[in-house]
Amino acid sequence: MQELFLYFFIILAASILQTSTGFGFSVMATPFLLLLFSPQEAMQINIILSLVISFSLIWKVRQDIDVALLKKVMIGSVVGAPFGSLLFALVDVTTFKLLIAILLIGLTILLIKNLSIQQTRSRDYGVGFISGMFTTSIGMAGPPLLLYFASTHRNKETIRAVSLAYYIFIYLISLLSQVIFEGTSKMVWVYSMYALPIVFLGLIFGQMLFTRLNQKLFRILIYVLLVAAGFILLIQTIWTML
């Protein structure tokens, strides 16, 4: 019973975060879900519930989606995904994760110090490529997008809308590939069903929070999540190396 309450609390917090920002479910939920489930089960529950949130919000945020940007990011991710799989097969994943964690923390620090880049067509494709590569190699689609959006100073509405729409695309592909090639379990779907009322509660609270976040607070939240993602990845990598 205690484990079930812990599970519900994790899902509620992650759902509020994902709804209010468009990202963060994996950063918040996955490390704690790994305490309750196997890595494969935790990843699949994370993907399923992220998809539920994205599908639930997509109609509401549709007017804020930069369709041209979304298309370029999606195309880039399709090209990058096979390279991520190749990296996973050929490169020492632990060392790769360590490098990514250090790079993520370092770039976030530069962002905090007002690093700014100009958005271009090639960079839109490039960030999609990196996101697709990260998705299939280390299971993290979001951080490249967040770094890019924050450094190009996009408004919070566009960041949330494009992120949610992109996650529908990339996570559907990821879930289908996992189910086909790695299989799934009854527990994944049963616990995902258990979590649905909690997710919808998180949608309500998350939307209330979003309306109260100004652009400055939203950017601070991005920095916190990026640093958290970097440190979580760093800790997981070091733990694996011990």
Side-chain angles (χ1 to χ4, degrees):
M1 184 62 71
Q2 288 180 338
E3 290 183 351
L4 191 59
F5 279 122
L6 174 60
Y7 173 65
F8 286 156
F9 178 78
I10 294 166
I11 298 304
L12 178 61
S15 298
I16 292 172
L17 188 60
Q18 180 87 358
T19 302
S20 60
T21 63
F23 50 85
F25 192 96
S26 297
V27 175
M28 172 67 71
T30 302
F32 298 103
L33 290 179
L34 287 170
L35 300 175
L36 304 174
F37 304 96
S38 70
Q40 181 178 329
E41 289 169 341
M43 180 66 70
Q44 290 184 7
I45 290 172
N46 168 42
I47 291 173
I48 291 167
L49 297 181
S50 293
L51 282 170
V52 170
I53 293 170
S54 296
F55 274 117
S56 299
L57 288 172
I58 198 64
W59 181 256
K60 185 177 184 63
V61 304
R62 69 191 186 284
Q63 300 294 341
D64 297 320
I65 297 173
D66 183 333
V67 177
L69 171 61
L70 176 62
K71 286 180 179 178
K72 285 178 281 189
V73 171
M74 288 167 61
I75 292 169
S77 70
V78 171
V79 178
F83 286 91
S85 299
L86 192 63
L87 272 175
F88 186 80
L90 299 179
V91 177
D92 179 53
V93 178
T94 301
T95 303
F96 182 63
K97 284 184 175 181
L98 181 62
L99 291 173
I100 295 303
I102 294 170
L103 183 63
L104 189 57
I105 294 169
L107 287 174
T108 305
I109 292 172
L110 290 177
L111 272 180
I112 294 170
K113 292 182 176 293
N114 295 320
L115 170 71
S116 179
I117 63 172
Q118 183 69 36
Q119 181 182 353
T120 65
R121 180 183 176 87
S122 61
R123 286 171 181 164
D124 292 347
Y125 284 115
V127 74
F129 178 90
I130 295 170
S131 178
M133 188 173 65
F134 276 23
T135 300
T136 51
S137 59
I138 61 174
M140 295 181 72
L145 293 183
L146 292 185
L147 283 168
Y148 184 59
F149 291 159
S151 63
T152 54
H153 304 291
R154 299 305 297 256
N155 63 56
K156 66 172 188 170
E157 290 81 10
T158 301
I159 292 175
R160 183 173 78 146
V162 173
S163 297
L164 290 169
Y166 174 69
Y167 289 149
I168 289 176
F169 171 76
I170 199 70
Y171 281 152
L172 273 176
I173 294 175
S174 181
L175 181 61
L176 286 172
S177 64
Q178 282 207 23
V179 170
I180 292 170
F181 295 110
E182 299 179 28
T184 186
S185 69
K186 181 180 178 181
M187 179 178 289
V188 167
W189 299 95
V190 168
Y191 272 83
S192 296
M193 290 292 291
Y194 285 164
L196 287 181
I198 307 299
V199 168
F200 290 125
L201 193 61
L203 284 167
I204 295 170
F205 289 132
Q207 184 58 34
M208 291 169 59
L209 177 60
F210 177 74
T211 60
R212 288 164 173 76
L213 282 174
N214 59 37
Q215 192 68 28
K216 183 178 179 180
L217 286 174
F218 191 83
R219 286 179 63 82
I220 291 172
L221 196 51
I222 288 178
Y223 300 151
V224 170
L225 285 170
L226 285 170
V227 170
F231 274 109
I232 287 169
L233 195 57
L234 185 63
I235 292 168
Q236 288 176 341
T237 305
I238 293 172
W239 183 265
T240 303
M241 296 171 68
L242 293 178

